[in-house]
Amino acid sequence: MYIPVEGFMYPNEVELQWSVLIVLYPFITGLVAGAFILASLERVFRVEAVKPTYRLALLTALAFLLVAPLPLQLHLGHPERSFEMYLTPHRSSAMAMFGFVYLWYLMAVLLLEIWLDYRRDIVVKSQTSTGIMRFIYRVLTLGSNVISERSLRIDERLGYFITLIGIPSAFLLHGYVGFIFGSVKANPWWSSPLMPIVFIFSAMVSGIAAVMLLYMITTRLRGKEIDIRCLDKIAQYLMYTFVIDFSLEMLDLLQRIYEADESFRSLDFMVHTRLWTSQVIVQILLGTVTPIALLGLTQILKLTEKTRKRVYALAGCLTVMGIFAMRWNVVIGGQLFSKSFLGYTTYKMGFATREGLLTAIALMILPFGILWLLVKLLPPWPDASSISASGEFEQAEPVRSLV
Amino acid sequence: MFKDIEHLIRLATVMAIAVVAFLVLRAGVVPRSFGQYGHYRGAAMGEIAARPIAFAGHDLCETCHSDVADQKRQGKHVVVACEACHGALAKHADDPASLTPAKLDTTVLCARCHEANSAKPKWFPQVVTADHSGGIACDTCHQPHRPKIETKPETESKAEGKK
């Protein structure tokens, strides 16, 4: 494959080693962390307005978390060897430690929180459903049908505690991804102590925007009315987080411009040429400034509900696109310039290859398929939890006041 | 008393079983010598050491091919080990009749090191083979063991003659 090179590149820099799949990896984990943090707003910070999205956010986080390691597995020449990081843990390797960060977040936080939150529904469904679904629900109950008031209160208290642990865990999950890039000291495009922090905030932004869009789409598909109070609140939090995220990114940029170290001219040239469209146009103008401005307008102007919904939808789409562009610019941008600062290479994405465009598209569709299954199995809608199969299960809302 | 936390006890049991199953699996599949010297299988050292020797080493080559060794000493390729180009030939060194080294294709072999690449140091001899030889084998002009062509180009000889 011919790769156009400009100026001087070392031989091992001409072909990019980290492909679009490595762009997907931080993008997907970001959605996970962001969705979870949105869920924790209701659980820990008592933001009652966002309650309709609580369970949807948890299921979204799980669907994307299950897909998060797949880009890495496809990227590896020997995916079966990845299990060895559990068998023979290498404590000095940041990449090898990902397995534990991932496992902790999946098993100790997300699955546990979802199980505790849905346990009552699972028990009810294990008694009311039939066939294979009955079997699945019965397995999920672990053979215990106890849903006494006290047991639900214990679940609630434990769930609260897990969410409390889950917030730093979500920060750890995505902070870790930023750490991986930020700690590559040989690469001036990545090497920055701000990287983990910027990654965490951008994760929150993308996750909140994604759940907001999913909430709007799923509510529309179900033919229900969107809770505008909930949407307003999410959009408000999205804007706050986005402003912090953008400020941090600009702070990083200012620092680089003022510091102007030996890499600056090379990186500056790259931003003005190869990354101009993806960084300046897509990431900054369309994906950051425009959604912040749109969300800001909804705070300042008195817009109708219909207009607000449209603005939120547009801002949400632009935000997700902008954060994807940010991941692209970090991962791909960091490999386009020579460490000699004298040349630039080009990223040639394959089409129907192991790390090509089709694979990337399939990997982005997959979480939605998993989410669809999860939603079928564990309906997250506020109106769906009031299962009226038998009288004793009528009281749907868990007891939150005791926590 | 435990009735209300029965599900949590079951969950803890499932988790404990999973952890024990993992530990059993780990004990079964991780080699005993893992970590003996470092983050790898210690027994691998012995296994690698027990492998048959593939390279003879240039000292052994020179005992028979002293003429080639003399040629090499006169040129830059003195630093290149015989088997770097000819391949691993311990079998040939043990019993020369059992294995005759294959004739090398210099069109491909020389380009492996001498094909021009801007990342190579300037002092290193390098050519764009397509322009330099146009597909003709390098050993048509160059003696691979002493590659420098000593004869002066015709134009340079004429210029010197005028002086």
Side-chain angles (χ1 to χ4, degrees):
Chain A
M1 183 167 59
Y2 173 72
I3 299 170
V5 169
E6 193 182 332
F8 175 87
M9 294 295 287
Y10 291 117
N12 60 350
E13 293 174 326
V14 173
E15 193 182 338
L16 267 66
Q17 299 302 313
W18 286 4
S19 65
V20 66
L21 296 194
I22 309 299
V23 177
L24 284 189
Y25 162 62
F27 180 64
I28 292 176
T29 48
L31 292 174
V32 175
F36 183 85
I37 287 165
L38 179 64
S40 68
L41 275 181
E42 194 270 329
R43 193 80 188 246
V44 177
F45 301 107
R46 301 261 168 269
V47 183
E48 286 295 314
V50 300
K51 202 169 189 168
T53 61
Y54 171 68
R55 285 181 158 185
L56 181 66
L58 281 185
L59 295 186
T60 306
L62 179 61
F64 279 92
L65 189 66
L66 291 174
V67 177
L70 292 186
L72 302 181
Q73 298 281 12
L74 280 162
H75 175 72
L76 290 172
H78 276 279
E80 78 284 358
R81 286 185 189 166
S82 62
F83 188 61
E84 287 175 20
M85 66 184 165
Y86 293 119
L87 296 172
T88 51
H90 201 307
R91 286 189 300 273
S92 62
S93 160
M95 282 197 185
M97 279 296 108
F98 169 71
F100 291 92
V101 175
Y102 178 82
L103 196 69
W104 166 260
Y105 194 72
L106 177 69
M107 302 303 287
V109 176
L110 213 47
L111 280 182
L112 211 52
E113 179 162 343
I114 291 173
W115 187 72
L116 288 170
D117 196 68
Y118 273 99
R119 206 179 62 78
R120 185 188 160 282
D121 293 7
I122 292 170
V123 170
V124 175
K125 280 176 180 283
S126 73
Q127 291 164 2
T128 54
S129 51
T130 53
I132 183 79
M133 293 309 285
R134 185 183 175 88
F135 174 74
I136 293 171
Y137 286 121
R138 285 187 78 161
V139 170
L140 288 175
T141 60
L142 302 179
S144 167
N145 290 332
V146 180
I147 46 169
S148 64
E149 202 171 316
R150 184 165 174 264
S151 73
L152 291 176
R153 259 183 233 159
I154 292 169
D155 285 356
E156 181 57 34
R157 210 169 286 189
L158 193 61
Y160 175 82
F161 179 68
I162 289 167
T163 317
L164 220 53
I165 298 172
I167 297 170
S169 300
F171 274 65
L172 181 73
L173 177 76
H174 207 64
Y176 157 84
V177 180
F179 171 82
I180 285 285
F181 289 100
S183 59
V184 182
K185 56 190 164 195
N187 189 323
W189 188 246
W190 292 338
S191 178
S192 162
L194 262 185
M195 202 59 117
I197 303 160
V198 168
F199 262 64
I200 288 166
F201 276 93
S202 56
M204 286 161 69
V205 169
S206 64
I208 294 173
V211 175
M212 182 179 80
L213 289 173
L214 275 172
Y215 171 66
M216 291 171 84
I217 294 166
T218 50
T219 314
R220 177 67 64 90
L221 286 176
R222 291 165 58 234
K224 304 275 178 185
E225 196 57 40
I226 292 172
D227 182 346
I228 192 69
R229 201 172 131 257
C230 167
L231 210 55
D232 281 339
K233 205 67 180 172
I234 297 175
Q236 208 176 12
Y237 278 102
L238 177 61
M239 192 188 74
Y240 295 154
T241 327
F242 217 165
V243 168
I244 298 172
D245 176 45
F246 188 49
S247 311
L248 284 170
E249 283 188 40
M250 288 302 107
L251 192 65
D252 186 44
L253 187 68
L254 275 175
Q255 174 93 15
R256 283 168 189 269
I257 293 171
Y258 188 73
E259 201 176 299
D261 66 8
E262 70 276 14
S263 67
F264 181 71
R265 279 183 62 185
S266 176
L267 299 182
D268 188 48
F269 181 78
M270 182 173 75
V271 171
H272 284 86
T273 51
R274 277 172 158 69
L275 289 187
W276 180 258
T277 311
S278 63
Q279 175 119 9
V280 179
I281 307 290
V282 181
Q283 184 192 328
I284 299 177
L285 291 179
L286 286 175
T288 307
V289 177
T290 313
I292 289 179
L294 286 172
L295 293 169
L297 278 180
T298 61
Q299 302 294 313
I300 299 164
L301 303 177
K302 277 199 182 258
L303 301 170
T304 60
E305 264 188 33
K306 202 175 172 185
T307 317
R308 289 215 301 282
K309 281 179 196 167
R310 285 181 179 169
V311 171
Y312 293 153
L314 178 64
C317 290
L318 287 174
T319 301
V320 175
M321 184 189 74
I323 299 295
F324 180 81
M326 183 258 186
R327 312 299 192 221
W328 174 279
N329 293 321
V330 167
V331 177
I332 302 297
Q335 302 171 84
L336 289 182
F337 66 94
S338 171
K339 304 301 173 294
S340 66
F341 307 131
L342 294 171
Y344 304 89
T345 187
T346 315
Y347 175 45
K348 287 265 187 180
M349 195 197 299
F351 182 64
T353 56
R354 198 181 73 198
E355 295 192 56
L357 181 65
L358 274 187
T359 315
I361 291 171
L363 279 178
M364 272 323 293
I365 293 172
L366 188 59
F368 294 100
I370 296 174
L371 183 62
W372 181 79
L373 280 177
L374 286 173
V375 164
K376 287 278 165 206
L377 190 67
L378 305 166
W381 326 121
D383 47 315
S385 61
S386 53
I387 297 154
S388 54
S390 75
E392 67 180 296
F393 302 128
E394 280 293 328
Q395 191 195 346
E397 292 303 313
V399 191
R400 290 270 155 87
S401 58
L402 295 163
V403 184
Chain B
M1 184 193 166
F2 292 111
K3 198 176 179 313
D4 290 328
I5 56 165
E6 185 203 352
H7 59 290
L8 296 177
I9 295 170
R10 282 174 184 264
L11 179 71
T13 313
V14 170
M15 282 183 164
I17 291 169
V19 170
V20 170
F22 171 76
L23 291 175
V24 169
L25 175 76
R26 187 172 185 269
V29 297
V30 175
R32 295 255 173 271
S33 64
F34 188 87
Q36 190 181 350
Y37 305 116
H39 198 78
Y40 58 91
R41 196 164 50 86
M45 301 289 277
E47 285 168 25
I48 294 163
R51 278 185 189 172
I53 291 169
F55 288 90
H58 70 104
D59 288 342
L60 202 56
C61 300
E62 285 175 16
T63 54
C64 295
H65 303 283
S66 56
D67 53 329
V68 179
D70 287 341
Q71 269 190 329
K72 275 180 70 185
R73 260 180 227 113
Q74 292 166 32
K76 291 274 175 72
H77 277 179
V78 65
V79 291
V80 182
C82 308
E83 287 161 303
C85 297
H86 292 279
L89 286 167
K91 265 187 190 170
H92 171 74
D94 283 347
D95 178 11
S98 70
L99 179 76
T100 312
K103 173 98 172 81
L104 301 172
D105 179 6
T106 52
T107 327
V108 183
L109 181 75
C110 302
R112 207 160 67 191
C113 295
H114 295 288
E115 185 68 60
N117 185 321
S118 55
K120 287 176 186 166
K122 291 276 179 287
W123 54 263
F124 188 78
Q126 47 192 311
V127 290
V128 177
T129 46
D131 301 340
H132 182 76
S133 59
I136 299 168
C138 305
D139 61 352
T140 314
C141 303
H142 298 273
Q143 214 304 324
H145 296 122
R146 192 166 62 92
K148 190 169 184 185
I149 299 169
E150 296 295 349
T151 49
K152 288 173 184 171
E154 208 178 316
T155 47
E156 203 180 318
S157 307
K158 278 180 187 171
E160 274 184 8
K162 280 179 186 174
K163 277 179 189 174

